[in-house]
Amino acid sequence: MARVLIVYSTRTGQTKKIAELIAEGIRFEGPEAKVTNVTQIKTETDLQGYDGYVFGSATYHGEMMQPMKTMLFLAEKANLEGKVGGSFGAFGWSGEAPARIFDTMKNIFKMDMVDGPLRLKSSSLGGGTQMAQDYGKKIARRLT
Ligand SMILES: Cc1cc2nc3c(=O)[nH]c(=O)nc-3n(C[C@H](O)[C@H](O)[C@H](O)COP(=O)(O)O)c2cc1C
């Protein structure tokens, strides 16, 4: 069974909600999905053993949150080349973080990126729930 790791960085919980909705979409299609706070990723071995990775951060002051930056330096050593990837994050107005994460996964880790980054103002507004679940389904379908 394919396995996907979803790692989120959040301050007020919106990005965690999106992570859980993406996981629902993945599980709907069959693969296993594990949702983890970025603070639980301590070494690159914590990132090993999955077929797909979805990394997300809220945007603050035009940037991804510091714990996600630190985690991406760990991920650089985890040999994720060719693995399926995606990125996401909650935002208020500019939402830079998901695209920054996506570009790093694509250009540095050389992952097989699905679609584009998922940016949501709120997981519960404007069809966001469906969009997040659909993003998870797309990740899952790329694995099978
Ligand atoms: C001090 C502060 C700075 C913020 N800076 C940005 C920003 O530069 N761009 C943006 O799109 N949203 C910005 N936001 C909005 C957050 O990204 C938004 O509230 C998001 O839903 C928070 O997600 P979280 O609950 O996962 O932490 C900012 C919010 C605060 C409180």
Side-chain angles (χ1 to χ4, degrees), residues 7 9 38-39 41-44 47 64-77 109:
V7 184
S9 188
V38 71
T39 56
I41 306 294
K42 312 251 191 241
T43 71
E44 63 267 30
L47 292 168
M64 74 181 83
M65 297 179 70
Q66 184 60 47
M68 180 54 66
K69 288 187 192 175
T70 304
M71 203 278 297
L72 291 176
F73 285 120
L74 281 181
E76 185 195 4
K77 296 186 265 176
F109 306 159

PDB file of all heavy atoms in Angstrom, residues 7 9 38-39 41-44 47 64-77 109:
ATOM      1  N   VAL A   7       3.222  17.059   6.053  1.00  0.00           N
ATOM      2  CA  VAL A   7       3.856  17.811   7.137  1.00  0.00           C
ATOM      3  C   VAL A   7       3.384  19.262   7.058  1.00  0.00           C
ATOM      4  O   VAL A   7       3.483  19.883   5.998  1.00  0.00           O
ATOM      5  CB  VAL A   7       5.396  17.767   7.023  1.00  0.00           C
ATOM      6  CG1 VAL A   7       6.030  18.480   8.216  1.00  0.00           C
ATOM      7  CG2 VAL A   7       5.900  16.330   6.933  1.00  0.00           C
ATOM      8  N   SER A   9       3.102  23.331   8.923  1.00  0.00           N
ATOM      9  CA  SER A   9       3.576  24.332   9.880  1.00  0.00           C
ATOM     10  C   SER A   9       2.485  25.389  10.009  1.00  0.00           C
ATOM     11  O   SER A   9       2.067  25.973   9.006  1.00  0.00           O
ATOM     12  CB  SER A   9       4.887  24.963   9.370  1.00  0.00           C
ATOM     13  OG  SER A   9       5.461  25.779  10.336  1.00  0.00           O
ATOM     14  N   VAL A  38       5.264  19.843  11.778  1.00  0.00           N
ATOM     15  CA  VAL A  38       6.676  19.970  11.400  1.00  0.00           C
ATOM     16  C   VAL A  38       7.609  19.830  12.616  1.00  0.00           C
ATOM     17  O   VAL A  38       8.747  19.379  12.476  1.00  0.00           O
ATOM     18  CB  VAL A  38       6.893  21.310  10.655  1.00  0.00           C
ATOM     19  CG1 VAL A  38       6.791  22.501  11.605  1.00  0.00           C
ATOM     20  CG2 VAL A  38       8.203  21.326   9.892  1.00  0.00           C
ATOM     21  N   THR A  39       7.114  20.151  13.796  1.00  0.00           N
ATOM     22  CA  THR A  39       7.944  20.063  14.997  1.00  0.00           C
ATOM     23  C   THR A  39       8.309  18.611  15.337  1.00  0.00           C
ATOM     24  O   THR A  39       9.230  18.374  16.119  1.00  0.00           O
ATOM     25  CB  THR A  39       7.226  20.689  16.214  1.00  0.00           C
ATOM     26  OG1 THR A  39       5.955  20.038  16.368  1.00  0.00           O
ATOM     27  CG2 THR A  39       6.997  22.173  16.009  1.00  0.00           C
ATOM     28  N   ILE A  41       9.362  16.443  13.073  1.00  0.00           N
ATOM     29  CA  ILE A  41      10.386  15.982  12.134  1.00  0.00           C
ATOM     30  C   ILE A  41      11.735  16.467  12.656  1.00  0.00           C
ATOM     31  O   ILE A  41      12.079  17.642  12.526  1.00  0.00           O
ATOM     32  CB  ILE A  41      10.123  16.518  10.702  1.00  0.00           C
ATOM     33  CG1 ILE A  41       8.705  16.166  10.242  1.00  0.00           C
ATOM     34  CG2 ILE A  41      11.178  15.976   9.732  1.00  0.00           C
ATOM     35  CD1 ILE A  41       8.420  14.697  10.046  1.00  0.00           C
ATOM     36  N   LYS A  42      12.483  15.546  13.270  1.00  0.00           N
ATOM     37  CA  LYS A  42      13.724  15.949  13.950  1.00  0.00           C
ATOM     38  C   LYS A  42      14.969  15.630  13.121  1.00  0.00           C
ATOM     39  O   LYS A  42      15.974  16.317  13.230  1.00  0.00           O
ATOM     40  CB  LYS A  42      13.829  15.222  15.291  1.00  0.00           C
ATOM     41  CG  LYS A  42      12.540  15.282  16.108  1.00  0.00           C
ATOM     42  CD  LYS A  42      12.676  16.179  17.296  1.00  0.00           C
ATOM     43  CE  LYS A  42      11.497  16.023  18.232  1.00  0.00           C
ATOM     44  NZ  LYS A  42      10.753  17.269  18.385  1.00  0.00           N
ATOM     45  N   THR A  43      14.927  14.542  12.352  1.00  0.00           N
ATOM     46  CA  THR A  43      16.058  14.200  11.489  1.00  0.00           C
ATOM     47  C   THR A  43      15.513  13.736  10.140  1.00  0.00           C
ATOM     48  O   THR A  43      14.316  13.474  10.011  1.00  0.00           O
ATOM     49  CB  THR A  43      16.913  13.042  12.070  1.00  0.00           C
ATOM     50  OG1 THR A  43      16.159  11.829  11.965  1.00  0.00           O
ATOM     51  CG2 THR A  43      17.307  13.296  13.503  1.00  0.00           C
ATOM     52  N   GLU A  44      16.419  13.597   9.164  1.00  0.00           N
ATOM     53  CA  GLU A  44      15.940  13.193   7.832  1.00  0.00           C
ATOM     54  C   GLU A  44      15.361  11.778   7.826  1.00  0.00           C
ATOM     55  O   GLU A  44      14.557  11.443   6.968  1.00  0.00           O
ATOM     56  CB  GLU A  44      17.031  13.351   6.765  1.00  0.00           C
ATOM     57  CG  GLU A  44      18.255  12.504   6.951  1.00  0.00           C
ATOM     58  CD  GLU A  44      19.354  13.228   7.708  1.00  0.00           C
ATOM     59  OE1 GLU A  44      19.038  14.091   8.548  1.00  0.00           O
ATOM     60  OE2 GLU A  44      20.532  12.917   7.452  1.00  0.00           O
ATOM     61  N   LEU A  47      11.693  11.367   7.708  1.00  0.00           N
ATOM     62  CA  LEU A  47      11.040  11.592   6.410  1.00  0.00           C
ATOM     63  C   LEU A  47      11.113  10.361   5.509  1.00  0.00           C
ATOM     64  O   LEU A  47      10.562  10.373   4.414  1.00  0.00           O
ATOM     65  CB  LEU A  47      11.717  12.771   5.690  1.00  0.00           C
ATOM     66  CG  LEU A  47      11.518  14.153   6.315  1.00  0.00           C
ATOM     67  CD1 LEU A  47      12.471  15.156   5.690  1.00  0.00           C
ATOM     68  CD2 LEU A  47      10.082  14.611   6.143  1.00  0.00           C
ATOM     69  N   MET A  64       7.286  31.567   4.303  1.00  0.00           N
ATOM     70  CA  MET A  64       6.885  30.372   5.037  1.00  0.00           C
ATOM     71  C   MET A  64       7.398  30.500   6.479  1.00  0.00           C
ATOM     72  O   MET A  64       8.299  31.298   6.757  1.00  0.00           O
ATOM     73  CB  MET A  64       7.453  29.109   4.372  1.00  0.00           C
ATOM     74  CG  MET A  64       8.927  28.877   4.556  1.00  0.00           C
ATOM     75  SD  MET A  64       9.516  27.394   3.724  1.00  0.00           S
ATOM     76  CE  MET A  64       9.753  28.006   2.046  1.00  0.00           C
ATOM     77  N   MET A  65       6.824  29.714   7.383  1.00  0.00           N
ATOM     78  CA  MET A  65       7.227  29.772   8.788  1.00  0.00           C
ATOM     79  C   MET A  65       8.614  29.134   8.970  1.00  0.00           C
ATOM     80  O   MET A  65       8.994  28.216   8.254  1.00  0.00           O
ATOM     81  CB  MET A  65       6.175  29.073   9.647  1.00  0.00           C
ATOM     82  CG  MET A  65       4.818  29.784   9.574  1.00  0.00           C
ATOM     83  SD  MET A  65       3.536  28.963  10.552  1.00  0.00           S
ATOM     84  CE  MET A  65       4.125  29.311  12.214  1.00  0.00           C
ATOM     85  N   GLN A  66       9.348  29.628   9.958  1.00  0.00           N
ATOM     86  CA  GLN A  66      10.732  29.174  10.165  1.00  0.00           C
ATOM     87  C   GLN A  66      10.855  27.653  10.341  1.00  0.00           C
ATOM     88  O   GLN A  66      11.776  27.047   9.768  1.00  0.00           O
ATOM     89  CB  GLN A  66      11.363  29.907  11.360  1.00  0.00           C
ATOM     90  CG  GLN A  66      12.825  29.576  11.598  1.00  0.00           C
ATOM     91  CD  GLN A  66      13.712  29.937  10.400  1.00  0.00           C
ATOM     92  OE1 GLN A  66      13.613  31.026   9.845  1.00  0.00           O
ATOM     93  NE2 GLN A  66      14.560  29.010   9.974  1.00  0.00           N
ATOM     94  N   PRO A  67       9.980  26.993  11.089  1.00  0.00           N
ATOM     95  CA  PRO A  67      10.150  25.527  11.232  1.00  0.00           C
ATOM     96  C   PRO A  67      10.077  24.787   9.897  1.00  0.00           C
ATOM     97  O   PRO A  67      10.747  23.769   9.721  1.00  0.00           O
ATOM     98  CB  PRO A  67       8.993  25.127  12.156  1.00  0.00           C
ATOM     99  CG  PRO A  67       8.672  26.368  12.908  1.00  0.00           C
ATOM    100  CD  PRO A  67       8.898  27.502  11.954  1.00  0.00           C
ATOM    101  N   MET A  68       9.290  25.294   8.949  1.00  0.00           N
ATOM    102  CA  MET A  68       9.224  24.641   7.633  1.00  0.00           C
ATOM    103  C   MET A  68      10.530  24.880   6.873  1.00  0.00           C
ATOM    104  O   MET A  68      11.034  23.981   6.189  1.00  0.00           O
ATOM    105  CB  MET A  68       8.010  25.161   6.849  1.00  0.00           C
ATOM    106  CG  MET A  68       7.834  24.553   5.472  1.00  0.00           C
ATOM    107  SD  MET A  68       7.786  22.735   5.385  1.00  0.00           S
ATOM    108  CE  MET A  68       6.274  22.342   6.271  1.00  0.00           C
ATOM    109  N   LYS A  69      11.106  26.075   6.997  1.00  0.00           N
ATOM    110  CA  LYS A  69      12.408  26.319   6.357  1.00  0.00           C
ATOM    111  C   LYS A  69      13.442  25.324   6.877  1.00  0.00           C
ATOM    112  O   LYS A  69      14.198  24.724   6.108  1.00  0.00           O
ATOM    113  CB  LYS A  69      12.912  27.737   6.671  1.00  0.00           C
ATOM    114  CG  LYS A  69      12.167  28.832   5.974  1.00  0.00           C
ATOM    115  CD  LYS A  69      12.879  30.158   6.229  1.00  0.00           C
ATOM    116  CE  LYS A  69      12.027  31.314   5.798  1.00  0.00           C
ATOM    117  NZ  LYS A  69      12.599  32.619   6.115  1.00  0.00           N
ATOM    118  N   THR A  70      13.474  25.151   8.179  1.00  0.00           N
ATOM    119  CA  THR A  70      14.432  24.224   8.796  1.00  0.00           C
ATOM    120  C   THR A  70      14.186  22.797   8.309  1.00  0.00           C
ATOM    121  O   THR A  70      15.130  22.071   7.974  1.00  0.00           O
ATOM    122  CB  THR A  70      14.300  24.295  10.333  1.00  0.00           C
ATOM    123  OG1 THR A  70      14.491  25.648  10.732  1.00  0.00           O
ATOM    124  CG2 THR A  70      15.316  23.400  11.030  1.00  0.00           C
ATOM    125  N   MET A  71      12.923  22.412   8.217  1.00  0.00           N
ATOM    126  CA  MET A  71      12.576  21.061   7.768  1.00  0.00           C
ATOM    127  C   MET A  71      13.007  20.837   6.323  1.00  0.00           C
ATOM    128  O   MET A  71      13.458  19.746   5.962  1.00  0.00           O
ATOM    129  CB  MET A  71      11.071  20.845   7.934  1.00  0.00           C
ATOM    130  CG  MET A  71      10.638  19.419   8.037  1.00  0.00           C
ATOM    131  SD  MET A  71      10.480  18.568   6.477  1.00  0.00           S
ATOM    132  CE  MET A  71       9.187  19.455   5.655  1.00  0.00           C
ATOM    133  N   LEU A  72      12.918  21.864   5.494  1.00  0.00           N
ATOM    134  CA  LEU A  72      13.319  21.705   4.087  1.00  0.00           C
ATOM    135  C   LEU A  72      14.829  21.456   3.974  1.00  0.00           C
ATOM    136  O   LEU A  72      15.273  20.741   3.076  1.00  0.00           O
ATOM    137  CB  LEU A  72      12.886  22.913   3.250  1.00  0.00           C
ATOM    138  CG  LEU A  72      11.370  23.047   3.033  1.00  0.00           C
ATOM    139  CD1 LEU A  72      11.048  24.332   2.272  1.00  0.00           C
ATOM    140  CD2 LEU A  72      10.787  21.852   2.288  1.00  0.00           C
ATOM    141  N   PHE A  73      15.602  22.018   4.884  1.00  0.00           N
ATOM    142  CA  PHE A  73      17.044  21.708   4.873  1.00  0.00           C
ATOM    143  C   PHE A  73      17.291  20.245   5.265  1.00  0.00           C
ATOM    144  O   PHE A  73      18.184  19.599   4.727  1.00  0.00           O
ATOM    145  CB  PHE A  73      17.822  22.655   5.789  1.00  0.00           C
ATOM    146  CG  PHE A  73      17.995  24.035   5.201  1.00  0.00           C
ATOM    147  CD1 PHE A  73      17.503  25.149   5.841  1.00  0.00           C
ATOM    148  CD2 PHE A  73      18.672  24.212   3.999  1.00  0.00           C
ATOM    149  CE1 PHE A  73      17.654  26.420   5.296  1.00  0.00           C
ATOM    150  CE2 PHE A  73      18.828  25.471   3.437  1.00  0.00           C
ATOM    151  CZ  PHE A  73      18.319  26.581   4.097  1.00  0.00           C
ATOM    152  N   LEU A  74      16.474  19.726   6.174  1.00  0.00           N
ATOM    153  CA  LEU A  74      16.557  18.286   6.499  1.00  0.00           C
ATOM    154  C   LEU A  74      16.145  17.442   5.297  1.00  0.00           C
ATOM    155  O   LEU A  74      16.787  16.446   4.963  1.00  0.00           O
ATOM    156  CB  LEU A  74      15.616  17.933   7.656  1.00  0.00           C
ATOM    157  CG  LEU A  74      16.028  18.238   9.068  1.00  0.00           C
ATOM    158  CD1 LEU A  74      14.925  17.771  10.016  1.00  0.00           C
ATOM    159  CD2 LEU A  74      17.332  17.546   9.395  1.00  0.00           C
ATOM    160  N   ALA A  75      15.079  17.859   4.647  1.00  0.00           N
ATOM    161  CA  ALA A  75      14.541  17.097   3.519  1.00  0.00           C
ATOM    162  C   ALA A  75      15.542  17.020   2.370  1.00  0.00           C
ATOM    163  O   ALA A  75      15.544  16.047   1.614  1.00  0.00           O
ATOM    164  CB  ALA A  75      13.229  17.717   3.039  1.00  0.00           C
ATOM    165  N   GLU A  76      16.383  18.034   2.268  1.00  0.00           N
ATOM    166  CA  GLU A  76      17.406  18.034   1.215  1.00  0.00           C
ATOM    167  C   GLU A  76      18.297  16.789   1.336  1.00  0.00           C
ATOM    168  O   GLU A  76      18.804  16.276   0.346  1.00  0.00           O
ATOM    169  CB  GLU A  76      18.251  19.312   1.334  1.00  0.00           C
ATOM    170  CG  GLU A  76      19.260  19.493   0.229  1.00  0.00           C
ATOM    171  CD  GLU A  76      20.295  20.543   0.565  1.00  0.00           C
ATOM    172  OE1 GLU A  76      20.275  21.084   1.696  1.00  0.00           O
ATOM    173  OE2 GLU A  76      21.141  20.817  -0.305  1.00  0.00           O
ATOM    174  N   LYS A  77      18.449  16.296   2.566  1.00  0.00           N
ATOM    175  CA  LYS A  77      19.331  15.140   2.809  1.00  0.00           C
ATOM    176  C   LYS A  77      18.578  13.810   2.771  1.00  0.00           C
ATOM    177  O   LYS A  77      19.171  12.760   2.975  1.00  0.00           O
ATOM    178  CB  LYS A  77      20.005  15.295   4.182  1.00  0.00           C
ATOM    179  CG  LYS A  77      20.926  16.503   4.260  1.00  0.00           C
ATOM    180  CD  LYS A  77      21.671  16.538   5.573  1.00  0.00           C
ATOM    181  CE  LYS A  77      20.966  17.409   6.590  1.00  0.00           C
ATOM    182  NZ  LYS A  77      21.574  17.427   7.904  1.00  0.00           N
ATOM    183  N   PHE A 109      14.818  19.192  -4.716  1.00  0.00           N
ATOM    184  CA  PHE A 109      14.645  17.768  -4.385  1.00  0.00           C
ATOM    185  C   PHE A 109      14.345  16.930  -5.632  1.00  0.00           C
ATOM    186  O   PHE A 109      14.422  15.713  -5.569  1.00  0.00           O
ATOM    187  CB  PHE A 109      13.506  17.583  -3.373  1.00  0.00           C
ATOM    188  CG  PHE A 109      13.644  18.410  -2.118  1.00  0.00           C
ATOM    189  CD1 PHE A 109      12.529  18.681  -1.331  1.00  0.00           C
ATOM    190  CD2 PHE A 109      14.875  18.929  -1.725  1.00  0.00           C
ATOM    191  CE1 PHE A 109      12.636  19.444  -0.185  1.00  0.00           C
ATOM    192  CE2 PHE A 109      14.980  19.697  -0.568  1.00  0.00           C
ATOM    193  CZ  PHE A 109      13.853  19.960   0.191  1.00  0.00           C
TER     194      PHE A 109
END
